[in-house]
Amino acid sequence: MSEVQVFVTAERLSEKYQGMSEQEMVERVRALKEELKDELVILSHHYQRDEVYQFADFTGDSLKLARQAAEQKDKKFIVFCGVHFMAETADILTGDEQIVVLPDMKAGCSMADMATLEQVEEAWEYFVDSLGDTFTPITYVNSTAAIKSFCGQHHGMTCTSSNAEKVFRHAYQQKERILFLPDEHLGRNTAVKLGIPEHHMAVWNPETGELEGVKGSLEDIRIILWKGYCSVHLKFTPEHVKRVRENDPEMKVIVHPECRHDVVKLADDNGSTEYIIKQIEQAPPGSRWAIGTEVNLVQRLAKQHPDKKIVLLNDMICPCLTMNRIDLPHLLWSLESYCEGQVINRIQVSDEIAEQAVLALDRMLKIG
């Protein structure tokens, strides 16, 4: 292959792929993987389409994949099949000489976009003015590099859906309050698990610049939750859980903690994507499960475990639309462009932002 010399951020898929058959693209990706095997690694999130997922060298949730990227020190070209914030984290954790690309730059995350740096800085000023230096900012890894950087700069950290409880406990050993963003529901579910009553929580609405749900004195607040959410997980409701109970009382319901608290409360179990996968893998043959998370993952689990009955908690739900922007043509486009001497859709986080974001990530990783 030719030496990479030009860096291009392209917004539109080349038209030549519109006339290619799926089989032709599959064969071409396989050939390019073999050609680039000494320098290429493909990472795929669990919510990814099967047509892309099949080519992954590593699969996992967002942070697991970023860690995998960081461990591939001998791989120059990293194709991240996920969404924008995931590729940002991979770029932060990899070396300067490594190239991280996102096959489609429009593969964003609506939750991550619900907390901008300007909004967070304004809110932080309000909280400090009102309650002093009593907050630790914690951001879910499903956030932009700029928000991770803000948390790093203000002695805060990141968390995942699997280690949020540990991170919260550590934070409360440092200061008496937490600002959690951008997902209100993961924050609430985690706080409830730690025994924090609802009347000690409040929600910050960045659109109005107001605290919602304050019951009593501001001094009683232990955690402020950012008014953000995952558009996929918000589609699961208590009615869906009740319908499962009515139709099949023996079916277990497991959901992701990005679901609303009233859904999590009714479910038999809840946990991160990796946790859900592990529970299904360990479940006995013949067991029946209704799963409240992204449809691509649920359908894949059903195929992988034909000895169990696995259904989506809400059978009317659609896939994560932004995650599904990464498709076979975009993957092939990324690989072919690289072989032709161009890098399209490269993700590069500035050194200034990366330096502070690493602090937030490292603090979390030290907690475990």
Side-chain angles (χ1 to χ4, degrees), residues 16-286:
K16 76 174 185 177
Y17 298 103
Q18 296 177 3
M20 297 177 67
S21 69
E22 180 175 346
Q23 185 58 37
E24 186 179 358
M25 288 188 283
V26 166
E27 291 174 358
R28 183 61 180 150
V29 171
R30 284 177 181 159
L32 289 172
K33 277 201 69 176
E34 178 62 24
E35 180 180 343
L36 297 170
K37 62 183 179 181
D38 292 333
E39 53 188 302
L40 167 70
V41 62
I42 298 177
L43 309 174
S44 177
H45 191 274
H46 288 304
Y47 296 169
Q48 199 61 70
R49 299 165 178 254
D50 282 345
E51 65 188 60
V52 170
Y53 195 85
Q54 65 178 318
F55 293 111
D57 297 298
F58 298 98
T59 61
D61 58 17
S62 59
L63 189 64
K64 179 181 178 181
L65 290 176
R67 283 171 163 169
Q68 288 287 0
E71 291 174 4
Q72 310 308 309
K73 300 186 185 302
D74 60 330
K75 302 296 185 182
K76 179 181 179 182
F77 185 42
I78 300 168
V79 179
F80 205 120
C81 298
V83 294
H84 200 275
F85 76 80
M86 301 178 187
E88 282 185 336
T89 305
D91 183 63
I92 290 169
L93 294 177
T94 52
D96 293 341
E97 72 287 354
Q98 293 176 286
I99 297 168
V100 177
V101 303
L102 183 68
D104 187 344
M105 280 293 198
K106 293 182 180 178
C109 172
S110 58
M111 180 203 294
D113 293 340
M114 289 175 189
T116 68
L117 181 59
E118 182 179 6
Q119 290 172 331
V120 174
E121 288 176 336
E122 291 177 356
W124 185 256
E125 183 177 351
Y126 173 85
F127 301 145
V128 172
D129 286 347
S130 302
L131 293 167
D133 183 21
T134 61
F135 286 92
T136 296
I138 299 175
T139 186
Y140 192 17
V141 291
N142 297 31
S143 57
T144 66
I147 300 304
K148 293 182 178 74
S149 180
F150 174 90
C151 290
Q153 182 181 357
H154 291 85
H155 309 289
M157 63 202 90
T158 60
C159 79
T160 69
S161 52
S162 58
N163 69 9
E165 287 184 64
K166 284 185 179 180
V167 171
F168 276 34
R169 290 184 191 278
H170 180 82
Y172 280 127
Q173 293 173 2
Q174 312 303 312
K175 294 185 179 179
E176 59 187 288
R177 297 183 178 89
I178 288 173
L179 166 64
F180 183 74
L181 57 156
D183 183 19
E184 171 186 348
H185 306 291
L186 175 62
R188 185 183 307 280
N189 289 320
T190 303
V192 168
K193 287 180 180 179
L194 295 182
I196 298 174
E198 289 271 355
H199 62 273
H200 285 171
M201 305 181 198
V203 177
W204 177 259
N205 187 333
E207 300 301 322
T208 63
E210 296 179 348
L211 273 176
E212 300 175 351
V214 178
K215 300 172 183 176
S217 168
L218 280 179
E219 294 290 337
D220 293 334
I221 293 175
R222 297 289 312 284
I223 183 169
I224 293 179
L225 308 167
W226 197 264
K227 197 177 183 69
Y229 56 87
C230 169
S231 57
V232 170
H233 289 105
L234 206 64
K235 289 184 171 69
F236 299 106
T237 68
E239 287 67 35
H240 294 128
V241 181
K242 293 173 184 176
R243 190 178 306 152
V244 168
R245 303 285 190 227
E246 293 170 359
N247 296 336
D248 188 348
E250 299 301 315
M251 179 171 275
K252 299 293 185 182
V253 176
I254 185 169
V255 302
H256 196 282
E258 289 176 17
C259 293
R260 289 164 28 186
H261 180 60
D262 52 5
V263 175
V264 170
K265 186 165 56 175
L266 288 175
D268 297 292
D269 201 358
N270 71 92
S272 67
T273 302
E274 295 287 346
Y275 178 83
I276 291 172
I277 292 171
K278 184 178 293 186
Q279 293 305 107
I280 298 301
E281 289 175 345
Q282 295 175 348

